[in-house]
Structures are given as C-alpha cells and as structure tokens.
Amino acid sequence: MNKALHFVHYALYLDLMRRSSLALVLASAAIAVSVAVCGILFAAASAFEAYCEDRIARSGAVNSMEVAARRDKELGTPWAAPPIGTDNAQQAISRLVAILRRDLGPEAVVCAEPAWLSPGWVYVFLAHPDKGGVGVAVGVALTSPTDPEGRRVADSRLAGGWVTDSKRPQIVLPRKTANRLWQGVLFAGEPCWLGITDDSVCAEARVAGIFDSTKGDYCFATAPIVEAIQAALSALDEAIDDTQAEGDVHAQSEPRKATLVSNGSQEELPGVSGASRFATIRCQIYFRDRGTVLKARRLAEDRLKFWVRTPFDDFDSELQLLAAARTAAWAALSIMLVTVFGALLCTFLSWVSRRKYEIAILKAQGSGNWWVAGAYVVQSAFVGTGAGLAGLWLARLLCPRLAAWIAAHLGQAVPLSVSVPTAAAASLLAAFVGMCVVAALIPALAIARQDPWEVLRR
Amino acid sequence: MESPDVHGPEDWIYKLDNVSKEFWSGKRLVAKGCDQVCLRIVRGEFLAVTGESGSGKSTLLSLLGFLAAPRPCPQEGQFLFRVNGTTHDLRAALEEGIGSARMSRWRADHVGFVFQSYHLMNHLTAQANVELGARFASPDSRRGNTADALLAMLGMANFARKRTRDLSGGQKQRISVARALSKHPAIILADEPTGNLDIANKCLVLASLLIANAVYGATVVLVTHEIEHPALVASRSILMRDGRIVDDRQITPHVTAQESIDIRVLADRIAREGYPAVYAELKFE
C-alpha cells in the first residue's frame, strides 16, 4: 500500500511540478465542461421523469396497468384461421389452480382471477402471502407431445411418467414442484412441469416474473406475453386444423373427464368443453418499466393487429417528451463521450509526446515501460478526477437555474427538484476518468517503448 | 542465464565477443554502429573510448549501458556482464524474450549515465535529480551516499534546492555525475560529458569522474573525442574506427586519482596555473 501511494505521489510529483502544462489545462477544462453538460442533461431527464411519475401517480395508474386488447374490427380483415377457443386453456388453468391450492395450501396461496389466458400460454396470477397479496405470476406454456418440442419435453424432462395417455387422462404434478413454486424458489425463468390435459398437451410451467419485486424480473413479463399471444394463435390454429383434418371433433365438442394423479391420490376434474371463439384478451400487468410496456403494445399491435390501450395513453405527450429527453440525454452523452475521448486522446498524445525526453531519461535511469505508462496513467486519472469533480460541481451550481427554467417551461407550479442523480454522477465520473486513463495509457505505452538512446542522442 | 562466475580469474565486468550493432531501415542496412567488437573491461578501470565522429563510440556505450540491444544477437559470440560475483548473459536473456526487462533491471541497479547534454529533469531540483538516479534501483543497490552527501562532495551543496534549469553547464554536469553515483553503480558510462563545458568545468567534471572511480570504485567508461582526456584521467584507452576497436592500450595518467580526489585542488590549480600548464605535464607513457 505504501509502495503504491509512494508511486502515485512520485508520478504526480514528476510532471505536475512542471509549470506549463497547457495541454493538461485544456484537457481538464474540456472534461469539466463535458461532465457539467452531461450532468445537467441527466438532471433534466431525471427531474422530468420524476414529474411524469408524479402525474401518473396522481392519476392512480401507478404500478398496475390494464391492457385491453381487442381485434381491430374496423380493419375488416377476417381471421386467417378459425378463432381460438379458450376452453382447454381455461380448464388447464382450473386444474393448475386446483393443484397449486392442494399442494401449496389454500390458505397460503390464493389464486386470483386468471387475468389472461390463451391456449398456447397461460399466465396465472397468484397472491403471495409474503408480499401482502401482491401478484406473483406463473406462466404456463402448453406444448403438444405430438410436436418435436413436446416430445423432447416428454423424453428428457418428464421421464415417461408424465406424458398423458389419451385414454387415461391425467395430470401429474411432481412433488418437487410444490417446493419449487414456493417461497424463495420463484425465480424468473425457472421451469417446472405440469401435465395439463388428457391427450393433447403436456405443459411447462415457468415462473415468468415476480412482479413488484426489486429484482428487475418484471422485464421478463411483457415481451413473453406478447410472444405468447403470437405463439398461442399459431399453435392453436394449427391444432384446430389438425383436429379437423382428422375429423376428430369429438374431443372438442363433448365434455370429457380428466383424472388428476398426484402424490398417489386421484381426483376428478371438470371435463373439457369445446372450443369457442374469443375476441378479447385482457391482461393485468404489474410493471415498472413503461418502455417495456410500450414495446409490448407495439409488438401486439404489429403482429396481432390488436389495438392495445393503456392508461399511459392519457400521458402520451408527457411520455413522448420524456422519451425524447432521455434519448437526447443519451445521444448527447454518446456524442460527447466520443468527441471528448477523441480530444483527450489527441491532447494526451501531445502531452506525452512532449515528455518523450523525460521518458527517455527515466528509462536511462532504469525505469520499465510499465512504470512509465503507470506514471502517466496516474497523472491522467488525477486530472480526470479533478476535472470531473469540478464539472459535477459546476452542474450542481447550474441545477437551480435549470429547475427554474423547467418550471417556467411547463407553465405550472411543479414540485420539481433538479439535481444530478448520484448514480449518474458516479457513472459520469468513472466514465471520464476511464477515458483519461485509456487516452493516456495508449501514447504512454507507445512512447515508453521507444529507444531512449535515440532520443537522448539528439 | 545467471550463473556463478566460471569465466576465469580475471576480475572483468564486461566481456564482449563478436558483438555487433546494426541499424536497419526496413530491410535496408543503414549503418553498422559496432562491428564484431571484442572487449573485456576490468573492474575498477577507467576506460577512455576515443575515435572520430561516427566511429561507434556512443553505440558501444549504449550497448554497455543496456540502452540498446545488440543486433544481430551474437550467435557465436557472447555479451557477458558480471557484477557482485554473478555473471549475466545478455544473449541468453534476449533469446528467452526477457531481454528488455533484464536490461532495464541491470540498468537500474548497476549502471550510471553521464551525458554530454546532462539530461536532467529541468523542472526538478538538483536534489530530486540526484535522487532520481537511485529511484528504480533495487534496495540492495541503493546503498550509495545520500543525495545531500553527493552534492556536498561535488561542491553543489548550496544548489541542492535549486532547479537545474537555473544552473550553469558545469553545475548541471556535476549533478549528472552525482545522479550516476547515487545508486552506487558498478559502472559509470560517460558520453562526452565535457563536450559543452569550458576548461575549468571540464577538469572539474573529469575530476569528479576520477573520484567516482577511485573513491567509489566504479568502473568508468568515458567516451570522448578529445584526445587529451585519456591521458588526463584514464587508465586504459581504446580507439574505434568504423565500429571496430583498432587500438587498445594501457595508460598511466599524470594526474592520478589520488591527487585529484579533492576537486577543489584541481580547480584551484587550473585557475592558478591554467589548463595548458597542467596539460603540459600530461604525457602518454
């Protein structure tokens, strides 16, 4: 430690004793201004985001969203395939719920209303007692044992005892499933396996996301839902086509009985009724990331020709402005980083090149290449840190003026606190110090490898 | 690469056999700085290397100071460096691909340089410059005198806190000598150290090199194109031409190290009697 401190001290002493380091002064100024501009941009974006959050919160739309998706009847384009029945999936949901209630305990896990379902994918929202009734999502993907994926599932994951027999319909829930679904093991993306219907599907249940958690798992939720909608449409269309081709309408038109076999006990479940048409998908999504929701909506609308309405539609202008502010902040940051890095590289190249003579002297005294490079890296890091802190201080000075400008621009009294977010400030500082280090390391290493004798002989 | 001494009873510090240094520009051979040089330098001697400009003196010095590597690597010859009873083989180090690191290490621990243009850090003080000499040496090699003691010995104590850019040429060169001595080097390589100096300062610097040789026991290699210098200070002189050593002879200097330990005596004598009078007493044996 002492050795390192000594090295840092000496590295700084070697060059900063010099009176005229115009290149370093210019570099420091460039860094300070860049950090200040970036910091102000982040502060503005952050303040505006807070403003939007506030407005949305006041509207009561916080942390939940109802997406009402309906087929665009006005387009006048008929379904390419027969409409999709949901009865099988409804039954699957019922069974799954029954199984979960039985195995996990009715008092512990209360199944909320299955908010959204489709034959291809099913999402069930369960109340998690530890979360105070906050919804926990379980996604169920339905695959047919007749298709390759279903066969793979049957062969490799279900070990034979799982695949249902059309004549002996059964649903099997392995004992371990209960454990895996219960507290502490509800990890996003972790599969468990369920047999759902008698003759056509086995199922993979996958915890798609723990909503309202702080783990960021929510981001897995919306895109799979949209994908699931697409998958469900395709899969069920194919399934219906196949069934009709075989003339086996019986399975869909007559209720049948399924037997639940789990942990050695059996119970009868309600029969499966025929397919019916659905025209509306209704889902409840707990969210934190509006961007993902908007993306999901775009996907749904593009692929499925649904119109999806969200409560955010009321805040379209604000959200668009917010998105623009974010984009502008990132674009400005990116451009600034590239520009400043180029400028720093040139500046440090010039700076280190002017030290060619001193480097040759150091090498003649026995310093290694890495010592020389390290000395200049330390100096550049020192410059970057100092200038970065100065830039953040400058940004802090300008923030109140920015707050006044934003308030005036919005034309109303908004409780706005404009400040550079700590995380953004730390990131900016780290980014600029990192750039300084890289910008100094490259020329320093190059010049350290020069022949000192050549320089000293001139 | 490093082995106990098995090279004979002589107390040599360098043993070069067929060592060359060629300068290439792409695939074109530009010059031969040294051409199959064979040289043995004995510990403690004061070797003067003379010759015309372009004869290869400085190139030889850069090789001895590990500032440049031989090229081509001596396949049939050798480049041995012996210090503290351990023999280092530069050729082996180069073949192992660790030549650069080893050369830096040896340079840091055992070699002191004195250049014609001083090559001091002009923005640092005299003391800081002297301390820089031992900066990169390993702890074992830092047992030389302190910067203050060296500066005092060379009559520069009053200038220790001054920046070197404010000093005269002779003062700078004495600081350069002090820097070379600060690590207690096995060898001091001086490349025309008196080239930019007047007569009085020349003698002072030569006297300080003599002190380094006689008092500190450093082997000194002095590259000079001034023909009187070998007679003034050296115990051996070699003459180079076209990268080869064409003459190698022992010398008995007329101003001995013992007589010139106190550089003030020499300076006073030069000031009183003039350099020609001192020089007139100096003759080759």
Side-chain angles (χ1 to χ4, degrees), chain A residues 10 14 357 363 453 456-457, chain B residues 58 107 119 123 132 191:
Chain A
Y10 195 71
L14 260 187
Y357 176 69
K363 290 203 71 181
W453 189 248
L456 296 178
R457 286 285 292 166
Chain B
S58 295
R107 205 160 60 227
H119 295 324
H123 60 291
L132 183 65
D191 186 19

Side-chain angles (χ1 to χ4, degrees), chain A residues 208-225:
Chain A
I210 302 172
F211 299 98
D212 201 37
S213 74
T214 55
K215 297 179 181 177
D217 296 333
Y218 54 86
C219 62
F220 292 97
T222 50
I225 286 175

Side-chain angles (χ1 to χ4, degrees), chain A residues 125-331:
Chain A
F125 290 88
L126 306 175
H128 192 309
D130 289 348
K131 295 278 184 182
V134 172
V136 174
V138 176
V140 180
L142 306 179
T143 59
S144 167
T146 57
D147 69 29
E149 177 60 16
R151 196 174 298 284
R152 187 189 69 77
V153 167
D155 291 344
S156 64
R157 308 300 292 272
L158 305 182
W162 257 87
V163 180
T164 56
D165 186 333
S166 61
K167 293 179 179 175
R168 294 182 56 220
Q170 58 184 334
I171 299 173
V172 179
L173 181 67
R175 181 182 292 275
K176 65 177 183 178
T177 302
N179 294 331
R180 299 182 74 185
L181 279 176
W182 192 225
Q183 39 184 293
V185 287
L186 283 167
F187 297 113
E190 184 175 351
C192 56
W193 298 90
L194 297 166
I196 296 295
T197 61
D198 53 356
D199 61 349
S200 62
V201 293
C202 52
E204 173 189 0
R206 186 182 292 273
V207 176
I210 302 172
F211 299 98
D212 201 37
S213 74
T214 55
K215 297 179 181 177
D217 296 333
Y218 54 86
C219 62
F220 292 97
T222 50
I225 286 175
V226 173
E227 294 290 337
I229 292 171
Q230 180 68 46
L233 291 169
S234 307
L236 202 68
D237 283 352
E238 289 175 9
I240 290 171
D241 286 348
D242 288 347
T243 306
Q244 288 176 340
E246 291 170 6
D248 183 12
V249 293
H250 179 74
Q252 294 187 21
S253 60
E254 285 190 10
R256 293 185 301 174
K257 289 187 178 180
T259 304
L260 170 67
V261 180
S262 176
N263 300 332
S265 66
Q266 293 190 0
E267 69 177 270
E268 288 190 349
L269 291 173
V272 178
S273 63
S276 67
R277 188 184 177 93
F278 85 97
T280 301
I281 296 173
R282 189 175 182 81
C283 64
Q284 181 105 10
I285 301 172
Y286 291 90
F287 70 95
R288 286 197 173 177
D289 183 353
R290 282 186 295 277
T292 308
V293 173
L294 296 175
K295 183 181 174 188
R297 178 171 69 172
R298 191 167 61 248
L299 282 172
E301 289 178 344
D302 288 348
R303 293 187 184 179
L304 308 178
K305 305 301 178 192
F306 276 98
W307 279 354
V308 180
R309 187 182 179 284
T310 78
F312 293 118
D313 293 348
D314 298 337
F315 306 104
D316 257 359
S317 58
E318 284 88 348
L319 291 174
Q320 281 173 11
L321 207 54
L322 177 61
R326 276 182 175 168
T327 307
W330 281 113

Side-chain angles (χ1 to χ4, degrees), chain B residues 104-184:
Chain B
S104 289
R105 188 72 266 148
W106 296 337
R107 205 160 60 227
D109 286 346
H110 307 300
V111 182
F113 284 98
V114 181
F115 297 98
Q116 179 180 4
S117 302
Y118 326 122
H119 295 324
L120 300 170
M121 296 279 199
N122 284 329
H123 60 291
L124 300 182
T125 62
Q127 186 181 27
N129 269 286
V130 175
E131 287 168 350
L132 183 65
R135 183 89 212 167
F136 307 105
S138 54
D140 288 345
S141 302
R142 286 186 194 169
R143 56 181 186 275
N145 287 0
T146 63
D148 286 337
L150 286 168
L151 287 169
M153 189 268 293
L154 292 171
M156 294 293 295
N158 293 335
F159 301 93
R161 303 289 179 270
K162 281 205 168 186
R163 303 206 175 190
T164 52
R165 62 170 160 246
D166 301 328
L167 302 179
S168 71
Q171 289 167 331
K172 285 181 182 175
Q173 199 59 290
R174 275 185 280 162
I175 288 168
S176 182
V177 173
R179 181 180 65 185
L181 283 172
S182 64
K183 70 179 82 166
H184 201 292

